Amino acid sequence: MTAGAPSVSKKPALAVIGNGMAGMRTVEELLKLAPDLYDITVFGAEPHGNYNRILLSPLLAGDKSMDDIMLNTPEWYRQHGITLHAGDPVTGIDRQRRIVRSRAGVELRYDRLLLATGSKPFIIPVPGHQLPGVIAFRDIQDVETMLAAARDHRHAVVIGGGLLGLEAANGLLRQGMDVTVVHVMDSLMERQLDKSAAILLKKALEQKGLRFLLNAQTAEIVGAGQVTAVRFKDGTEIPADLVVMTVGVRPNIELAQQAGLHCERAIVVDDTLQTYDPRIYAVGECVQHRMATFGLVAPIWDQARVCGAHLAGAGHRRYVQQATATKLKVTGVDLYSAGDFIGGEGSEDLVLRDPRRGVYKRLVINGPHIVGAVLYGDVKDGPWYFEMIQRRTDISALRSQLLFGQALCAQAA
Amino acid sequence: MNQVPTFPLLAAGQLAARQHGTLTTCPYCGVGCGVRATVGGDGQVDIAGDESHASNAGRLCVKGSALGETVDLEGRLLHPQMLVENDGRQSMQRVSWDAALDKVAHGFRSIVEQHGPDAVALYVSGQLLTEDYYIANKLMKGYIGSANIDTNSRLCMSSAVAGHKRAFGADLVPVCYEDLELADLVVLVGSNTAWCHPILFQRIARIKETRPQMKLVVIDPRRTATCELADLHLPLKAGSDVWLFNGLLSFLARHDAADAGFVEAHTNGLAAALEAAEADCADLAAVAKSCKLDPQDLLTFYEWFAANEKVVTAFSQGVNQSSSGTDKVNSIINCHLLTGRIGKEGMGPFSITGQPNAMGGREVGGLANMLAAHMELDNHRHRQTVQDFWQAPRMAERPGLKAVDLFQAIEAGRVKAVWIIATNPVVSLPDADQVQRALAKCELVVVSDIIEKTDTNAFAHVLLPAMGWGEKDGTVTSSERRISRQRAFLPAPGEARADWQILCQVAQRMGYAGFDFSAAHQVFDEHARLSAFRNGDAFGLRRMFNLAGLSGLGQAAFDALQPVQWPIVTTASGEKQGTARLFADGRFAHADGKARFVATVPRAPRHATDSEYPLSLNTGRVRDQWHTMTRTGKSPKLADHVPESFVDMHPQDALLYGVREGMLARVASRWGSMVARVQHGGGIARGSIFVPIHWNGQSASDARVGALVNPVVDPVSGEPEFKHTPVLVEEFRVAWYGFVLSRRLPMLDDVTHWTRIQGRRFNRYELAGRSPIADHGAWAASLLDVDVADADWLEYQDASAGIYRAVHVVDDRIDACVFLSPRPDLPSRAWLASLFAKDRLEDADRVGLLLGQPIAKGADTGPTVCSCFGVGRNTICTAVRAEGLNTVAQVTACLKAGGNCGSCVPEIKKLLTEILAEETA
């Protein structure tokens, strides 16, 4: 059967696959420019309106409620004449016939298709990884599982000591669980922090009550019908009623691949967010733009603006990658990183360490510019550095004082 | 032998000190300022100027004011030590006085027995008291029977002595300080008076303010701080003084400035002297050329000299330390003789000595070419007189070895035992590496000192702990023949003894009678009586050096002795009367009573510069240090002004020889080399460089300028040519520069170059290294011996720029910091240094630590200018700009800077001029 837009309508049809932040922001941008251009239909795997995924950590930690994190209510979709199929993921795309088909059997013909399928958490395929109680930290469902577990279980194990893992662990801790973070590397957030900063972070989190197992290789998740423990390669075992895997995400590109769209690590798009099929656009964590993939919100907002404009036919905008900044959302821990804080060929580090004061600062310099910054403990200059990163400010003259902050450099200037 | 009772004077001395202070004399330069020392309840010594003392009337220079910081016992030699061999390894070990004294006495006696008296020697010091000096001289010349006793005064003013003797017939200083104030023209030759004799300079400066018409001429190759006050500065070519004064002599003669009557009645030898002068100095232009001076400036000086009756020509090491030093002195004296400007108020030639008791040493005859009490070795009647007085068994018959010859004789093995007292020849002698070689070979090296570790002590077989200033008791004589008391106000630390005592005890152990003294006043009395012994026309042995008036002083009278200028006679009314000026009657000490003109033929310095060693090395003192820093090096207050050794050179020369200001340079001569930091002081001409004499193996890794200085001496005086050595300057390449401030001693193993600077509650080290540092963090941790894992350890690193900084905090107090950079562009040490005084770092401080400056601006006062009030350069400049100050007085009123000792006034003047210049620019 055929459903969706009123058959009488002559408007071209825009199908949006993915009811997440990227997709909906693109729709919003489109509506700003061309409110009545399309008949819009949105398919979402989750049975909700569109919400702010970034706020899942505060939601878990109990700092925010569901209402706080909702972005677009069903009411909003109605107001804008958008058909929403929540909880009904698309299962196939037929590019010859320009049809998308949903799990519930909805078939929709499209003139334009927007892929915003986001990414999937990676689950380590160790024995027992499919047991109930083994989850990722990706959506409201995961949060509800965790909250439920927190009500009547004690032992939580978070596998993966990256940014997301630490936020999850902190949230579970706040929910009264006894949390162990298992990390395969010898220091936390190794992509953002060097050892000494990671040690500071670990100390701070341990003081909050988290436990850490570093250099820990998960061998198996133990349990019969329900998780009971995690076993490691060295044979040791820790009890677990809940296992949260936060070991990274993978762009969600099965649909695109099935449809024969050109993908590499993700769906390859050009500067207009157009895929190799001119009728199909893609935004968000599922795209690969100039070799880069995306996990933070700032670039995705930019993509939405550009993509929205092109869908509206105002085809003048180009997406340009910008440096990004992020903060660890763990109350009482100040961690700020911006830009290319990993550095590489030709980049130089400025480092300041004051462990006793719990301060760590690292700036990554390339030529006369700051390209990245990691601040721990004292993050007040973060925005200033970020601004200089984005503006590509020539810092040669300030170099020797840069790490000592804006106040001093203002004096010096 | 019966032990000398342990200093009966001290108890009384200390008592007085604790009540209303002890009047004593400063142990530094030859000005001989009176000091009032008061020992506080906490043992702290409070130092003030003695208002009643004629030399300084209550004023003290920076060094004098800081004496209180130098009397602590850190580093003191407190017990006798001997080189003892056990299981094949030799080491210095503490021994009893008896053991040490026996070793010295036996060693000297057996060497004398085997090889004769000339196989042993004493090398003593202008820092000895007259009493010590007298005993040392008596022991050598009357008992051991050799004149092998010389002194560091040889390096200082022996040319003046020789010049005096040639001109006046004896070593007589005609004038007194007051004459500098009465003169209408003061000529300072080869004397950075502002820094080396600050109180005299202050006296001149104050008079000049009240009498602006009074003229000051400074003759010095360098534009020194002294020039800031000069009406005329003649930057003559090093060593060309004789051309200058020969020229003056001929100018005066031709512009009939001569006092024919005086010349006729009281002098001999003018014709020859004038002939020598006219030979190549009759033409002013030629003289200007020889001296590399502007003819107009030269003419101005000659005219001023001719026009002013009241002229004092004061000279110091710039004249004396030369291979033609004695001729320089005489060429100056000649001009005063020709004009008859001598023996009257406000005129005369004036040798300003560099040491506290060089004059005392000269009076007792404590130099190898003197006998005693201004009597001559080569005069048999003099020898007889002294022998009769001493009842001496074995008189020296001929002059002994002068300093430089002495150490060469030691290396050659002709002198087999040497006793070095209160001096540091491994640092201070020319060709100082030769001195090391000599001492290393010497059979018996005995050293008496107050400090345990010195470059010289390292070669000692026996170390004898002597009493230092504040502990010892006796007399010194200043440049104006003023005898003042040095009084004890502190107990002798450890087992330290007075030098005269140690000498007496060795003499007695050698079996000599005549050394049975129990107190300093007894020694002084013998010295005074000898000066009067058979002294007078009646004996045909008239000597102007006569202390008759001071003979027979008992303990009380000696303690009560007021500063007085010799000769001293007892007047009819029985009171002791000193003498301000000599030759008032026109009678000189030559047999015929006349003064002698000396024909002086100009000679260039012995070694000319050449393509290999193209620069002329000049050496001298800096304002706030003294000799080899064994005393001044202890004072944080004095360390700030010039923290480390430097090579001052002209920027174009720096460019030419590939060195840069702030970086290190290697300075080398044919005799040795050293490393110092390049500086452009702005006062030095192209072709010459200046390096200070103070730094040594204890204060820096490689900064002994003595090692470079050519061992060339004046043929008459034997004084070395310290003011000119051909040298080269080349880059001293290092991979990094750095500094450390630490409460503890860092581990300097893999540091190529270091200088240690005494701070208040910390040690400062300026560092530089050849080998690149791979892991800065690990390197710094081991340098400061910190276990970083559980330390409060702050770090800043800009790896690719090679910049690294770390600070170690212990219990919220700064414990140490290290700053490293590939360039000498390190932040100021001033603010970091100030943190060591704090018991707790505030957060604000902590934030600035790794920056090396407070995050809040303006708190960095910069390098100290006024040491007395600790006022920094930045503070002064800021105030001058902000308040629009124009005069030093205003600066003083505003910041106190310059208000105490005034030593920094010339620098403040300079700052004012600079700021004014830049503002008007």
Side-chain angles (χ1 to χ4, degrees):
Chain A
M1 66 158 218
T2 311
S7 51
V8 295
S9 159
K10 295 279 167 287
K11 284 196 245 169
L14 169 63
V16 180
I17 303 178
N19 186 25
M21 294 170 73
M24 284 310 102
R25 174 59 77 102
T26 309
V27 169
E28 286 172 6
E29 296 286 353
L30 164 63
L31 292 174
K32 277 193 217 155
L33 297 171
D36 303 317
L37 185 54
Y38 295 102
D39 280 327
I40 305 174
T41 307
V42 176
F43 293 86
E46 292 183 67
H48 319 276
N50 156 261
Y51 62 91
N52 185 340
R53 200 178 297 283
I54 301 165
L55 297 181
L56 286 176
S57 295
L59 179 68
L60 174 63
D63 296 336
K64 292 249 186 308
S65 72
M66 272 297 280
D67 296 354
D68 296 333
I69 74 167
M70 290 314 288
L71 291 172
N72 305 100
T73 57
E75 174 54 5
W76 176 86
Y77 292 85
R78 238 173 281 117
Q79 280 171 0
H80 294 82
I82 299 169
T83 313
L84 171 62
H85 298 282
D88 183 14
V90 169
T91 52
I93 304 169
D94 180 340
R95 289 168 52 209
Q96 275 71 33
R97 296 171 50 214
R98 305 213 313 262
I99 287 174
V100 296
R101 188 177 300 102
S102 82
R103 190 174 58 196
V106 178
E107 278 198 1
L108 178 70
R109 191 163 193 291
Y110 65 81
D111 299 291
R112 292 276 184 281
L113 177 61
L114 175 62
L115 295 174
T117 49
S119 63
K120 271 212 222 91
F122 178 65
I123 301 292
I124 315 170
V126 288
H129 72 275
Q130 278 137 332
L131 281 169
V134 179
I135 58 166
F137 181 25
R138 176 66 189 174
D139 53 34
I140 288 178
Q141 176 56 46
D142 297 327
V143 174
E144 280 163 353
T145 312
M146 288 192 247
L147 292 172
R151 272 193 292 279
D152 39 29
H153 294 85
R154 269 193 65 235
H155 300 292
V157 173
V158 175
I159 299 177
L163 195 115
L164 196 63
L166 296 179
E167 290 187 3
N170 178 66
L172 291 166
L173 184 76
R174 295 278 299 282
Q175 294 302 331
M177 290 192 87
D178 167 350
V179 186
T180 304
V181 176
V182 172
H183 195 48
V184 67
M185 310 298 280
D186 62 355
S187 75
L188 299 174
M189 289 181 69
E190 69 281 353
R191 285 183 70 252
Q192 283 92 337
L193 305 179
D194 68 11
K195 286 227 166 34
S196 47
I199 288 165
L200 289 176
L201 176 61
K202 184 160 168 284
K203 277 197 191 132
L205 293 173
E206 278 167 343
Q207 276 163 12
K208 289 171 157 290
L210 287 177
R211 272 202 311 283
F212 293 92
L213 289 177
L214 301 184
N215 299 310
Q217 308 238 352
T218 307
E220 176 183 359
I221 293 164
V222 186
Q226 170 67 32
V227 180
T228 57
V230 174
R231 182 179 304 135
F232 301 100
K233 289 227 167 91
D234 63 10
T236 55
E237 218 177 84
I238 53 170
D241 308 312
L242 174 72
V243 173
V244 182
M245 290 228 196
T246 52
V247 290
V249 295
R250 298 283 182 276
N252 191 358
I253 59 174
E254 282 93 341
L255 268 180
Q257 284 172 318
Q258 287 164 15
L261 282 175
H262 176 59
C263 298
E264 289 172 2
R265 282 177 298 137
I267 306 164
V268 177
V269 295
D270 64 14
D271 289 350
T272 69
L273 285 309
Q274 195 173 39
T275 68
Y276 273 61
D277 178 337
R279 290 182 178 276
I280 305 180
Y281 289 78
V283 292
E285 290 180 321
C286 63
V287 308
Q288 175 179 334
H289 171 264
R290 296 183 179 241
M291 303 315 291
T293 57
F294 306 87
L296 297 168
V297 72
I300 291 171
W301 287 167
D302 293 343
Q303 292 173 5
R305 267 178 54 258
V306 175
C307 187
H310 282 278
L311 287 170
H316 60 285
R317 289 191 178 136
R318 292 274 175 282
Y319 171 61
V320 180
Q321 290 178 33
Q322 293 286 351
T324 53
T326 178
K327 248 172 143 299
L328 179 68
K329 290 173 293 302
V330 172
T331 42
V333 179
D334 292 326
L335 176 63
Y336 182 98
S337 69
D340 167 22
F341 40 69
I342 296 157
E345 193 55 35
S347 73
E348 310 170 7
D349 277 2
L350 303 186
V351 183
L352 184 150
R353 299 187 184 88
D354 185 350
R356 190 59 55 95
R357 250 174 76 235
V359 172
Y360 167 86
K361 303 182 184 185
R362 182 158 61 92
L363 295 181
V364 182
I365 308 287
N366 199 320
H369 305 117
I370 313 181
V371 296
V374 179
L375 306 178
Y376 182 88
D378 171 5
V379 298
K380 65 174 180 306
D381 288 308
W384 181 55
Y385 296 132
F386 186 50
E387 185 190 335
M388 287 192 287
I389 292 170
Q390 289 183 310
R391 294 197 178 160
R392 296 181 61 74
T393 311
D394 184 326
I395 51 85
S396 319
L398 288 177
R399 181 169 176 142
S400 61
Q401 288 150 319
L402 216 44
L403 264 185
F404 299 97
Q406 186 169 18
L408 175 81
C409 295
Q411 281 173 18
Chain B
M1 63 162 282
N2 53 342
Q3 281 286 347
V4 173
T6 320
F7 329 122
L9 296 182
L10 269 179
Q14 291 169 74
L15 196 62
R18 292 195 188 287
Q19 288 152 354
H20 26 67
T22 304
L23 294 184
T24 181
T25 312
C26 177
Y28 295 126
C29 77
V31 175
C33 296
V35 171
R36 180 185 298 275
T38 315
V39 183
D42 54 359
Q44 282 298 320
V45 175
D46 177 50
I47 298 293
D50 172 3
E51 306 73 9
S52 67
H53 198 288
S55 300
N56 57 316
R59 293 178 73 93
L60 285 180
C61 74
V62 196
K63 289 190 287 287
S65 317
L67 273 165
E69 288 186 351
T70 69
V71 293
D72 65 77
L73 296 188
E74 196 188 340
R76 279 291 297 269
L77 176 63
L78 297 173
H79 308 282
Q81 296 180 8
M82 257 164 61
L83 194 62
V84 180
E85 174 158 353
N86 36 18
D87 51 64
R89 289 174 60 259
Q90 291 192 318
S91 63
M92 293 302 282
Q93 291 183 9
R94 178 177 173 177
V95 296
S96 73
W97 265 112
D98 281 332
L101 293 168
D102 285 339
K103 165 84 176 172
V104 178
H106 174 267
F108 268 66
R109 190 171 49 215
S110 58
I111 288 172
V112 168
E113 280 160 5
Q114 290 174 48
H115 307 283
D118 291 335
V120 301
L122 295 189
Y123 183 65
V124 301
S125 159
Q127 283 108 302
L128 284 179
L129 302 182
T130 301
E131 293 71 18
D132 308 319
Y133 237 133
Y134 177 84
I135 298 296
N137 191 54
K138 181 179 182 180
L139 171 62
M140 275 313 284
K141 291 180 183 154
Y143 290 76
I144 289 174
S146 164
N148 283 350
I149 171 172
D150 215 45
T151 155
N152 61 7
S153 299
R154 176 74 57 198
L155 318 178
C156 171
M157 31 89 299
S158 54
S159 295
V161 174
H164 290 156
K165 284 162 89 171
R166 291 203 301 188
F168 308 140
D171 176 19
L172 299 165
V173 176
V175 297
C176 60
Y177 298 152
E178 190 190 18
D179 291 319
L180 291 166
E181 295 164 330
L182 298 172
D184 298 317
L185 172 63
V186 171
V187 185
L188 297 174
V189 193
S191 169
N192 184 6
T193 320
W195 279 14
C196 302
H197 305 93
I199 294 305
L200 272 194
F201 187 71
Q202 293 307 311
R203 286 178 66 163
I204 297 171
R206 280 208 305 291
I207 288 296
K208 210 169 175 318
E209 272 166 29
T210 58
R211 290 197 296 123
Q213 71 276 18
M214 169 206 191
K215 294 213 164 5
L216 176 66
V217 176
V218 176
I219 300 174
D220 194 314
R222 292 190 300 149
R223 181 169 183 84
T224 62
T226 306
C227 301
E228 297 301 321
L229 196 70
D231 300 282
L232 177 64
H233 170 220
L234 297 179
L236 84 174
K237 180 179 163 199
S240 65
D241 313 51
V242 175
W243 276 277
L244 183 81
F245 285 96
N246 276 1
L248 177 59
L249 190 71
S250 113
F251 180 93
L252 294 169
R254 281 181 288 108
H255 294 73
D256 71 59
D259 178 341
F262 178 87
V263 171
E264 174 57 31
H266 303 294
T267 70
N268 288 323
L270 173 59
L274 208 47
E275 192 185 328
E278 298 280 348
D280 44 12
C281 301
D283 170 23
L284 186 134
V287 175
K289 197 158 176 295
S290 314
C291 302
K292 280 200 176 165
L293 288 171
D294 171 359
Q296 192 49 53
D297 290 349
L298 189 62
L299 180 61
T300 309
F301 167 55
Y302 285 179
E303 285 172 344
W304 285 356
F305 198 104
N308 288 283
E309 179 69 7
K310 292 193 166 188
V311 49
V312 173
T313 310
F315 56 93
S316 291
Q317 306 339 334
V319 166
N320 297 337
Q321 293 178 330
S322 159
S323 59
S324 57
T326 310
D327 281 355
K328 288 182 179 182
V329 171
N330 285 108
S331 69
I332 291 169
I333 295 174
N334 285 347
C335 296
H336 280 268
L337 291 177
L338 178 70
T339 50
R341 295 172 187 165
I342 191 166
K344 304 186 215 100
E345 285 193 344
M347 57 185 72
F350 193 177
S351 153
I352 303 178
T353 58
Q355 303 199 81
N357 200 32
M359 293 285 278
R362 289 147 68 170
E363 290 149 22
V364 303
L367 285 95
N369 52 333
M370 301 174 164
L371 176 50
H374 279 207
M375 286 180 276
E376 298 304 316
L377 266 164
D378 39 25
N379 177 323
H380 75 279
R381 294 193 53 223
H382 283 180
R383 283 206 306 277
Q384 193 56 54
T385 306
V386 175
Q387 180 157 30
D388 293 349
F389 180 83
W390 280 343
Q391 296 302 306
R394 188 173 187 178
M395 290 298 291
E397 312 241 308
R398 58 184 178 285
L401 295 162
K402 303 190 180 102
V404 172
D405 308 341
L406 171 60
F407 284 88
Q408 280 165 358
I410 293 172
E411 187 177 14
R414 293 197 300 282
V415 171
K416 300 175 183 311
V418 62
W419 186 355
I420 298 165
I421 304 177
T423 185
N424 199 355
V426 170
V427 182
S428 52
L429 273 180
D431 193 7
D433 292 346
Q434 185 274 333
V435 176
Q436 290 180 321
R437 291 196 301 273
L439 292 179
K441 279 188 177 181
C442 190
E443 218 170 281
L444 176 59
V445 178
V446 182
V447 182
S448 302
D449 208 298
I450 66 169
I451 299 293
E452 181 178 13
K453 294 205 180 315
T454 73
D455 293 15
T456 299
N457 289 10
F459 294 87
H461 302 105
V462 184
L463 279 181
L464 304 175
M467 290 199 279
W469 180 83
E471 299 148 11
K472 55 186 182 178
D473 186 78
T475 57
V476 292
T477 308
S478 76
S479 299
E480 61 167 354
R481 289 171 284 104
R482 188 178 300 276
I483 296 172
S484 305
R485 291 276 280 107
Q486 259 195 31
R487 296 185 177 87
F489 55 89
L490 292 168
E495 295 182 274
R497 293 180 183 176
D499 286 297
W500 63 264
Q501 247 190 329
I502 301 169
L503 285 154
C504 285
Q505 289 163 348
V506 167
Q508 286 168 323
R509 279 170 156 78
M510 291 177 77
Y512 301 135
F515 293 89
D516 189 8
F517 299 95
S518 60
H521 75 274
Q522 297 169 345
V523 182
F524 181 81
D525 178 54
E526 184 176 301
H527 166 57
R529 285 188 287 105
L530 172 58
S531 74
F533 184 62
R534 296 184 195 158
N535 186 348
D537 298 318
F539 311 92
L541 284 174
R542 176 174 175 277
R543 282 115 56 197
M544 285 199 191
F545 175 68
N546 189 338
L547 305 183
L550 294 183
S551 57
L553 297 184
Q555 181 71 69
F558 185 66
D559 285 342
L561 181 64
Q562 293 305 305
V564 57
Q565 289 171 284
W566 64 260
I568 298 142
V569 292
T570 315
T571 59
S573 57
E575 69 185 273
K576 320 283 182 208
Q577 195 176 328
T579 316
R581 292 172 191 81
L582 303 181
F583 315 137
D585 58 359
R587 185 173 175 187
F588 295 86
H590 282 296
D592 59 6
K594 291 187 169 186
R596 301 259 162 82
F597 284 91
V598 177
T600 54
V601 179
R603 301 193 302 277
R606 182 76 53 81
H607 294 290
T609 55
D610 54 29
S611 55
E612 199 181 347
Y613 297 97
L615 296 166
S616 162
L617 167 69
N618 185 358
T619 66
R621 290 173 174 164
V622 298
R623 192 188 80 193
D624 291 4
Q625 291 299 342
W626 170 260
H627 282 194
T628 64
M629 304 170 79
T630 45
R631 180 182 294 282
T632 47
K634 288 176 149 202
S635 163
K637 184 175 173 184
L638 298 181
D640 279 351
H641 182 249
V642 177
E644 59 179 340
S645 189
F646 59 86
V647 47
D648 188 7
M649 65 194 298
H650 192 284
Q652 279 169 293
D653 284 336
L655 211 57
L656 195 55
Y657 299 108
V659 297
R660 294 177 64 178
E661 182 163 42
M663 295 192 169
L664 292 170
R666 177 172 170 273
V667 189
S669 76
R670 289 193 169 78
W671 294 269
S673 73
M674 68 172 301
V675 176
R677 201 171 298 274
V678 176
Q679 178 189 98
H680 301 323
I684 200 148
R686 290 194 67 176
S688 54
I689 65 171
F690 176 86
V691 177
I693 60 174
H694 309 289
W695 280 267
N696 57 75
Q698 311 305 308
S699 51
S701 53
D702 187 10
R704 273 163 57 250
V705 73
L708 282 68
V709 174
N710 44 206
V712 168
V713 300
D714 178 274
V716 184
S717 69
E719 178 155 358
E721 188 147 60
F722 281 104
K723 300 298 190 187
H724 172 86
T725 303
V727 295
L728 61 82
V729 171
E730 62 189 8
E731 180 185 12
F732 184 78
R733 190 169 303 224
V734 292
W736 54 267
Y737 291 84
F739 69 81
V740 163
L741 309 180
S742 176
R743 296 188 193 269
R744 293 165 293 119
L745 296 182
M747 314 208 170
L748 297 169
D749 310 340
D750 53 2
V751 172
T752 314
H753 182 81
W754 58 266
T755 301
R756 180 187 171 284
I757 301 137
Q758 181 64 54
R760 220 174 280 285
R761 300 201 195 78
F762 66 91
N763 295 295
R764 168 180 166 191
Y765 285 81
E766 291 297 324
L767 308 176
R770 276 256 164 83
S771 44
I773 300 167
D775 178 345
H776 285 86
W779 187 90
S782 72
L783 178 83
L784 298 178
D785 189 22
V786 175
D787 175 6
V788 177
D790 47 16
D792 185 355
W793 177 256
L794 295 76
E795 279 178 306
Y796 171 86
Q797 183 157 28
D798 181 344
S800 47
I803 292 167
Y804 178 84
R805 303 166 181 180
V807 181
H808 185 213
V809 178
V810 176
D811 306 333
D812 292 332
R813 265 160 100 245
I814 184 167
D815 183 70
C817 63
V818 53
F819 280 57
L820 301 171
S821 167
R823 290 164 304 283
D825 58 354
L826 299 150
S828 152
R829 292 68 165 156
W831 179 72
L832 287 165
S834 71
L835 297 180
F836 283 80
K838 296 192 173 186
D839 289 332
R840 231 197 127 275
L841 290 175
E842 288 123 47
D843 290 358
D845 299 333
R846 209 178 151 108
V847 177
L849 283 177
L850 291 167
L851 186 62
Q853 74 185 58
I855 296 293
K857 220 179 181 178
D860 182 15
T861 59
T864 304
V865 174
C866 171
S867 304
C868 298
F869 296 111
V871 185
R873 198 176 194 284
N874 301 356
T875 315
I876 294 176
C877 295
T878 320
V880 169
R881 293 200 180 87
E883 319 293 346
L885 311 175
N886 297 317
T887 69
V888 177
Q890 290 170 337
V891 173
T892 308
C894 177
L895 301 166
K896 291 165 106 181
N900 182 39
C901 74
S903 309
C904 59
V905 167
E907 285 161 286
I908 297 177
K909 268 212 175 71
K910 200 146 172 280
L911 286 177
L912 282 165
T913 340
E914 286 170 7
I915 293 168
L916 203 66
E918 82 191 33
E919 279 173 352
T920 50

